[in-house]
Amino acid sequence: EAQVTQNPRYLITVTGKKLTVTCSQNMNHEYMSWYRQDPGLGLRQIYYSMNVEVTDKGDVPEGYKVSRKEKRNFPLILESPSPNQTSLYFCASSRTATEQETQYFGPGTRLLVL
Amino acid sequence: QKEVEQDPGPLSVPEGAIVSLNCTYSNSAFQYFMWYRQYSRKGPELLMYTYSSGNKEDGRFTAQVDKSSKYISLFIRDSQPSDSATYLCAMTEPGPKKLSFGAGTTVTVRA
């Protein structure tokens, strides 16, 4: 089954404690991205990756890091989480960067930073 | 001003009614227009997308794009309780450009 998986699905942490949210897709997609979803603001892109070893900032990259060492994986790293990073996070992928109109989303990771 | 505006609702309709959702946008370069459905505690799921202007129909769902007015719509005919969800519009320019999303409209279909 074609899918994007994320782990963990729920996470409660404290300010400053580094965490990683994993994302994996099994569709051999080149393009992957991370979004955060906040009430009234919709989905905002954090980082994206056109292909392996190619990443770039989205609209709200501050406080986040990513890496793309393998095509299927695109982890999101919060080196020093703060309460304003409490949000719902989605990983997404599409076959290429020019085919984002058919983007697949993961199930989401709900993060609470105390 | 947001690039994409979408009324958050909530919208509550009886079963069998027509649900009408819409978004407005400011970027005239947008060419691809998408509608996503998001159930509670789930990721967005692509319902349909349209390229440029015109209508597209898929079962009970019809998407319309009016580029001259910078206005897109989604209609759900014969609505069912299973259609209760948040509906997100999204759009993008041609090429490797990011998606711009509306804030989403929450719809409840009452049995």
Side-chain angles (χ1 to χ4, degrees), chain A residues 41-65:
Chain A
L41 297 177
L43 284 155
R44 294 178 294 167
Q45 191 178 56
I46 303 170
Y47 268 95
Y48 65 92
S49 170
M50 297 273 212
N51 213 325
V52 176
E53 301 290 5
V54 182
T55 63
D56 208 346
K57 297 176 181 178
D59 295 320
V60 288
E62 294 77 22
Y64 305 94
K65 282 177 57 177

Side-chain angles (χ1 to χ4, degrees), chain A residues 60-72:
Chain A
V60 288
E62 294 77 22
Y64 305 94
K65 282 177 57 177
V66 293
S67 68
R68 187 95 180 271
K69 292 183 168 50
E70 304 166 283
K71 199 171 188 179
R72 63 183 292 128

Side-chain angles (χ1 to χ4, degrees), chain B residues 16-39:
Chain B
I18 295 175
V19 176
S20 175
L21 304 167
N22 57 76
C23 291
T24 58
Y25 63 94
S26 56
N27 185 349
S28 57
F30 287 148
Q31 291 279 7
Y32 289 92
F33 303 92
M34 285 71 73
W35 286 97
Y36 288 86
R37 177 176 62 197
Q38 185 176 15
Y39 290 118

Side-chain angles (χ1 to χ4, degrees), chain B residues 81-108:
Chain B
S82 58
D83 294 325
S84 297
T86 296
Y87 291 81
L88 304 163
C89 65
M91 43 202 82
T92 187
E93 302 175 32
K97 304 291 186 182
K98 69 176 181 70
L99 299 185
S100 294
F101 286 86
T105 300
T106 300
V107 174
T108 300

